[in-house]
Amino acid sequence: MAYEIKQDGKFKFIEEGQGEPIMFLHGLFGGLSNFAHLVEHFRKTNKVVVPTLPLLDLDLLHTSVGGLQKFVNKFIEHRKYENIHLMGNSLGGHVALVHTLKNPSKIRSLILTGSSGLFENGMGDTYPKRGDKEYIRNKTALTFYDPALATDDLVNEVFEITNNRLKVIKIIALAKSAIRNNLGEELNQIKQPTCLIWGNNDTITPPFVGKEFNRLLPNSELHFIDKCGHAPMMEVPEEFNRILDGFLAKLSTPAATV
């Protein structure tokens, strides 16, 4: 990505633009580059913040959804962000939900896309033998409606992670933590306006998951995008940005006050 990665203490992040902060949280195999199109678009109207989540850098005891949420909270406190529009994809959505439940005061709105927290198909029932690159390629392709988006660079990145024993242990720990940390009974406590943007062809958190989030989150709206998988902000960024623009515009009118 062409943007400078800033460092402030232990935190690495992108921060571009001015205005109300909009913060993007990536998923289990994600990174800052997942949000390239969104950074470029929203930096014109908002302060765009993308922290690097320490998915594989926490000690094993804190390698969990809760551990990541605590990291995000420390980052927000350290940088003194207020009135945040908090967006998360996949595991990042799960972290955003837990953060909003625990620290609602600084969160103005939530945006979830392919979020875990209710149900997900992870890497499947089997975990790859180390060195099985074709397995990784096929699994990475399942993230997208168009398998061509599973580029060699992306596959190599995931392959490198899964070829390291300690990293694999941490990935499994995070995946198990996400499954255990089911938020179904708590979501009605979230009062922030919430925008759900879901791929109609998501096989990891299928469309029924988006509908269930919509049912359980009292102040939510649901948008489906056709020919789109688990990462709409990567696969159809223009449509994603259009939906998010509309959601944020509604929040800026007095009628949206809750």
Side-chain angles (χ1 to χ4, degrees):
M1 190 185 284
Y3 300 109
E4 176 197 357
I5 296 178
K6 297 179 167 67
Q7 179 134 12
D8 183 358
K10 65 180 178 180
F11 303 108
K12 291 182 180 178
F13 58 98
I14 289 167
E15 184 182 287
E16 295 284 334
Q18 295 297 323
E20 281 193 332
I22 181 166
M23 185 179 295
F24 301 131
L25 303 180
H26 59 78
L28 193 53
F29 289 101
L32 305 186
S33 61
N34 294 177
F35 303 108
H37 295 284
L38 278 65
V39 173
E40 182 57 32
H41 181 80
F42 287 101
R43 67 198 282 264
K44 297 162 190 166
T45 52
N46 293 78
K47 179 180 286 185
V48 179
V49 181
V50 194
T52 298
L53 297 181
L55 301 176
L56 305 172
D57 298 326
L58 295 170
D59 64 77
L60 202 51
L61 184 65
H62 297 99
T63 300
S64 64
V65 174
L68 291 172
Q69 183 275 321
K70 286 175 184 170
F71 175 88
V72 169
N73 187 50
K74 286 175 185 170
F75 175 62
I76 288 171
E77 293 285 338
H78 184 73
R79 298 289 300 168
K80 298 181 170 60
Y81 297 123
E82 304 275 351
N83 295 319
I84 302 162
H85 302 286
L86 186 58
M87 179 262 177
N89 171 240
S90 198
L91 181 68
H94 202 155
V95 173
L97 284 163
V98 173
H99 181 78
T100 305
L101 284 163
K102 289 184 178 295
N103 303 279
S105 63
K106 294 184 178 178
I107 306 304
R108 177 143 190 240
S109 73
L110 264 178
I111 304 101
L112 304 174
T113 183
S115 179
S116 58
L118 289 177
F119 173 88
E120 62 174 328
N121 288 316
M123 291 295 278
D125 297 329
T126 58
Y127 211 82
K129 296 188 183 78
R130 282 162 68 190
D132 191 347
K133 196 165 191 176
E134 205 48 41
Y135 179 95
I136 295 297
R137 184 178 300 280
N138 292 335
K139 282 294 181 183
T140 305
L142 287 177
T143 304
F144 305 105
Y145 173 75
D146 178 2
L149 285 169
T151 61
D152 286 345
D153 284 350
L154 197 56
V155 171
N156 289 338
E157 210 172 294
V158 177
F159 180 71
E160 187 273 326
I161 292 169
T162 58
N163 220 25
N164 177 301
R165 184 172 175 274
L166 182 58
K167 288 181 179 178
V168 167
I169 290 169
K170 289 187 174 184
I171 289 288
I172 292 170
L174 283 168
K176 285 184 174 176
S177 169
I179 291 165
R180 283 195 307 270
N181 193 341
N182 187 293
L183 302 174
E185 293 183 2
E186 300 172 67
L187 294 180
N188 63 357
Q189 299 169 30
I190 293 178
K191 307 305 182 193
Q192 279 83 353
T194 302
C195 184
L196 304 164
I197 306 175
W198 236 259
N200 244 337
N201 309 90
D202 187 342
T203 59
I204 296 170
T205 49
F208 77 82
V209 181
K211 291 177 182 175
E212 189 67 358
F213 272 118
N214 188 212
R215 185 179 74 82
L216 293 171
L217 286 160
N219 196 7
S220 63
E221 59 184 62
L222 174 60
H223 303 265
F224 282 114
I225 302 177
D226 285 331
K227 297 183 179 177
C228 176
H230 185 57
M233 72 288 171
M234 294 175 71
E235 195 155 17
V236 283
E238 293 84 3
E239 179 68 4
F240 188 97
N241 292 346
R242 186 189 65 76
I243 293 168
L244 186 47
D245 271 335
F247 174 71
L248 294 175
K250 280 190 286 186
L251 292 185
S252 67
T253 63
T257 306
V258 291

